[in-house]
Amino acid sequence: MATPSVAVANAVSKTSIDVTDLAGRTVTLPDRVSRIVLLDARDIVTMAILHPAPSDLVVGWADTARLDSDTLRAAFDIRPDGTAIEVVGGSAPGTVSHEKLIALQPDLVVATAFSEPGLGKGELTQRLESAGIPVVFSNVSSNITSETKSASNTFDEMAAVMRMWGNILGRQPRAEEFISFIDQHRRTIASRLTDVEPPTAYLEIQSTYDDCCWAAGQQIWGDLLRQAGGRNLSAVTAPWYAQVSIEQLMTEAPEVYIASGGAYAAEMRPAVGPGLDPAPALKGLKRLTERTGFATIPAVEKNRVHCVWTGLLTIPPLQILFLEVAAKWLHPDKFSDLNPTSTLNEINRRFLSTAITGPCWISLRDDT
């Protein structure tokens, strides 16, 4: 149920707009938002799909490690006056400095369920709103299993967050254009998967050399896997992710293995992502298959081993790229003509003023 509109005491314009966030809250904002704080830095990529220079608007951000790309952070970090975007907190919710955040005098703070678990009723939101600073939520997902929560379509949530940002930035037509672009690509994949038997796949959310086995849950990343034509591990019931034993993984015998990697903690996992050298990443991917028990998994025996940059899983407008590469890996006979690189190039050309470069995915066998 939507909460009452939030009055904005420090609005600089005489008119205002009402925005519905991902928590279903209706929040009143000034019609021209010019000072934004992001409590999840990844939101700047979503902004960039709609706005040619999001750094002009973002005065502060938190949890920059989740960008998982030094290249992306460097591309967005500098504001027009030459100063860096102020860091207001780290990866844990308790690290966000309320004082530093308020001192930036934002006219909007964008939060997530992770950064503000109260979803509008927590201490952070209450303190900000008492200071006249509105808060909206760009993500409300949780890894807590709920018996009453029905599975949602990841791309429906992407469309909702794009529309929210379109309203905030006054770029609704561009948001609809992007949503239509994504829908067209999704339909192409779905049309070829009718009556196709899905192979079991192990999508590893946290791929590190000294740990195992963090599998995608049934919602969000598991939903992406299903839409790509795969079957998730049956032992996992959590929404986001869950750890299974290597014995369970061997029992389920996945036919395809998709790891994840990025720039953060590159000494512990494959360093795959924008601007990174694919050669060390491939060595890292091979190293993952050398963990105990992996040699017996059909995916490894048949060399159907792949890795994606985490941004393709966690940044909503880029999830279409995961869908396409995963569909090719899961059903190479059905999608031999599908070109995810072409899709990335089109996103760069049509929607992004700051291009996202590869490698965003790699395979031990080059079949993409």
Side-chain angles (χ1 to χ4, degrees):
M1 179 180 296
T3 59
S5 298
V6 178
V8 182
N10 63 345
V12 296
S13 63
K14 296 181 180 180
T15 59
S16 61
I17 58 170
D18 286 341
V19 170
T20 300
D21 68 7
L22 271 287
R25 302 162 64 250
T26 299
V27 181
T28 301
L29 308 178
D31 66 342
R32 292 186 180 181
V33 175
S34 60
R35 296 182 64 81
I36 299 174
V37 172
L38 306 175
L39 297 188
D40 186 330
R42 292 172 297 191
D43 269 319
I44 203 165
V45 182
T46 305
M47 291 178 66
I49 293 288
L50 305 177
H51 193 287
S55 301
D56 291 3
L57 306 177
V58 177
V59 296
W61 57 5
D63 210 357
T64 57
R66 287 181 187 261
L67 280 169
D68 213 359
S69 169
D70 297 336
T71 298
L72 268 190
R73 175 169 178 169
F76 293 117
D77 196 22
I78 304 302
R79 305 196 71 246
D81 61 3
T83 62
I85 296 175
E86 186 77 20
V87 176
V88 299
S91 294
T95 64
V96 174
S97 169
H98 298 192
E99 291 75 17
K100 183 181 289 188
L101 198 162
I102 293 172
L104 289 172
Q105 298 183 307
D107 44 26
L108 174 63
V109 172
V110 183
T112 67
F114 181 79
S115 62
E116 213 285 60
L119 293 178
K121 298 179 180 179
E123 178 186 354
L124 176 59
T125 301
Q126 298 303 312
R127 183 168 182 184
L128 291 174
E129 290 181 351
S130 68
I133 301 169
V135 178
V136 299
F137 287 83
S138 62
N139 187 294
V140 295
S141 299
S142 168
N143 199 41
I144 300 174
T145 302
S146 171
E147 297 296 332
T148 59
K149 182 177 180 180
S150 59
S152 58
N153 186 307
T154 302
F155 288 100
D156 288 345
E157 294 186 6
M158 182 280 301
V161 78
M162 294 304 299
R163 289 187 173 111
M164 184 194 81
W165 275 112
N167 289 338
I168 291 171
L169 301 175
R171 295 174 183 263
Q172 296 92 332
R174 188 166 177 84
E176 294 303 326
E177 179 187 358
F178 185 77
I179 292 167
S180 295
F181 168 79
I182 297 299
D183 284 345
Q184 180 182 1
H185 282 256
R186 286 177 57 206
R187 285 195 298 270
T188 297
I189 293 172
S191 66
R192 300 188 191 182
L193 292 175
T194 304
D195 300 324
V196 173
E197 183 67 21
T200 299
Y202 173 38
L203 172 55
E204 190 170 47
I205 297 305
Q206 180 176 295
S207 304
T208 56
Y209 305 135
D210 60 355
D211 194 16
C212 195
C213 303
W214 292 95
Q218 294 302 320
Q219 298 174 21
I220 312 170
W221 303 316
D223 178 54
L224 285 172
L225 189 63
R226 281 191 297 273
Q227 292 193 53
R231 179 186 293 113
N232 201 7
L233 300 184
S234 63
V236 180
T237 58
W240 278 3
Y241 58 86
Q243 188 173 27
V244 299
S245 67
I246 184 60
E247 292 79 13
Q248 180 65 38
L249 185 63
M250 293 166 66
T251 297
E252 301 219 21
E255 300 172 59
V256 180
Y257 168 40
I258 304 174
S260 60
Y264 182 74
E267 72 283 357
M268 299 173 57
R269 59 186 184 139
V272 58
L276 297 176
D277 184 351
L282 284 167
K283 291 180 180 178
L285 180 55
K286 181 67 166 61
R287 185 175 171 183
L288 289 175
T289 68
E290 295 167 352
R291 289 175 294 179
T292 301
F294 270 70
T296 67
I297 296 172
V300 176
E301 291 177 332
K302 298 176 182 178
N303 209 27
R304 300 182 70 182
V305 176
H306 316 278
C307 185
V308 296
W309 168 50
T310 58
L312 303 192
L313 294 166
T314 62
I315 299 175
L318 302 184
Q319 289 172 333
I320 189 63
L321 297 170
F322 174 82
L323 191 69
E324 292 195 344
V325 295
K328 284 184 71 74
W329 293 335
L330 293 163
H331 301 281
D333 56 330
K334 293 285 185 181
F335 296 102
S336 60
D337 62 331
L338 189 62
N339 190 341
T341 298
S342 178
T343 302
L344 174 57
N345 291 341
E346 188 172 0
I347 291 173
N348 284 331
R349 177 177 58 82
R350 290 179 56 184
F351 299 103
L352 288 173
S353 57
T354 300
I356 292 176
T357 60
C360 293
W361 55 86
I362 58 172
S363 300
L364 289 188
R365 181 180 65 200
D366 186 8
D367 49 9
T368 56

